[in-house]
Amino acid sequence: IIVGIMSIVSVLPVMTWIRDMFYRHEDAGMYDSLSLGFALGTAEQWFIASSAALFCLVFLSAGGFAWGPVKVMAFYGFFTFNSALFSYFGQFFVSVVKDAKAAMILAGVYIGINNLFAGLIILPQQMIGTPYVVTYYITPVHYVFEGEIASIMDNDQRNVTATPNSAFYDFLIAEGKCY
């Protein structure tokens, strides 16, 4: 989530400058919105792909996770999707509001909703059976987190020990999975 926040915050000032430049060039008859959209999408794809590759290389090496082509590509795919979500939503926010301050407010709301309902603050088991379950399932970052964790932990046979009196331990007892 931190890399996503950095992506959305770093794209806002750049996109604001590009939007202002676009308005000047559009008034002069030099560019249209289709050419700018194509240029932004193409340029952003290379940045997202290279930064995701660098992050995955460092993270998987430092984390001591098992390497395999399927695991690495799955984690890379989900992480790239996460970076793209935040970058493109940042571009969207700048393009739909008048100034950078309003775009930053929208970005803050987007980050807050993702943190709150993706399972980071409100745990998924606390949302099941409540109206919040809808927000859990429509929050795109929730799928990214599940994919990243599933791709890293696939075929990992290490035992996980629940600490007594922890929330995880109490959940396992309540579900009848631990005695």
Side-chain angles (χ1 to χ4, degrees), residues 12-33:
L12 291 176
V14 174
M15 190 61 192
T16 302
W17 179 82
I18 290 173
R19 182 190 62 194
D20 294 342
M21 179 268 317
F22 169 71
Y23 288 145
R24 287 191 303 269
H25 288 173
E26 184 183 43
D27 288 342
M30 296 171 66
Y31 296 131
D32 63 347
S33 58

Side-chain angles (χ1 to χ4, degrees), residues 120-134:
L120 294 175
I121 297 174
I122 301 176
L123 300 176
Q125 53 267 35
Q126 294 171 338
M127 287 187 264
I128 305 298
T130 68
Y132 295 116
V133 74
V134 174

Side-chain angles (χ1 to χ4, degrees), residues 19-86:
R19 182 190 62 194
D20 294 342
M21 179 268 317
F22 169 71
Y23 288 145
R24 287 191 303 269
H25 288 173
E26 184 183 43
D27 288 342
M30 296 171 66
Y31 296 131
D32 63 347
S33 58
L34 186 61
S35 62
L36 179 67
F38 179 75
L40 285 173
T42 306
E44 197 70 20
Q45 286 174 359
W46 287 105
F47 174 75
I48 290 169
S50 60
S51 63
L54 182 63
F55 177 84
C56 290
L57 178 71
V58 172
F59 179 76
L60 293 174
S61 298
F65 298 107
W67 285 69
V70 174
K71 279 188 172 191
V72 171
M73 287 308 295
F75 184 80
Y76 173 77
F78 283 110
F79 187 80
T80 304
F81 181 60
N82 183 45
S83 296
L85 273 173
F86 280 93

Side-chain angles (χ1 to χ4, degrees), residues 31-179:
Y31 296 131
D32 63 347
S33 58
L34 186 61
S35 62
L36 179 67
F38 179 75
L40 285 173
T42 306
E44 197 70 20
Q45 286 174 359
W46 287 105
F47 174 75
I48 290 169
S50 60
S51 63
L54 182 63
F55 177 84
C56 290
L57 178 71
V58 172
F59 179 76
L60 293 174
S61 298
F65 298 107
W67 285 69
V70 174
K71 279 188 172 191
V72 171
M73 287 308 295
F75 184 80
Y76 173 77
F78 283 110
F79 187 80
T80 304
F81 181 60
N82 183 45
S83 296
L85 273 173
F86 280 93
S87 293
Y88 290 134
F89 266 102
Q91 289 181 5
F92 171 72
F93 294 146
V94 170
S95 66
V96 297
V97 296
K98 189 173 183 174
D99 60 350
K101 292 177 186 174
M104 191 61 183
I105 291 170
L106 289 176
V109 169
Y110 178 73
I111 291 167
I113 288 172
N114 278 306
N115 282 338
L116 190 62
F117 296 118
L120 294 175
I121 297 174
I122 301 176
L123 300 176
Q125 53 267 35
Q126 294 171 338
M127 287 187 264
I128 305 298
T130 68
Y132 295 116
V133 74
V134 174
T135 57
Y136 174 69
Y137 286 116
I138 64 171
T139 303
V141 176
H142 135 253
Y143 296 103
V144 170
F145 291 153
E146 283 186 2
E148 288 175 346
I149 292 169
S151 65
I152 289 175
M153 299 300 172
D154 184 39
N155 291 327
D156 190 348
Q157 301 300 321
R158 293 180 283 185
N159 289 331
V160 176
T161 305
T163 307
N165 298 325
S166 69
F168 180 59
Y169 184 80
D170 294 339
F171 172 74
L172 290 175
I173 289 177
E175 292 291 315
K177 310 259 188 216
C178 184
Y179 305 104

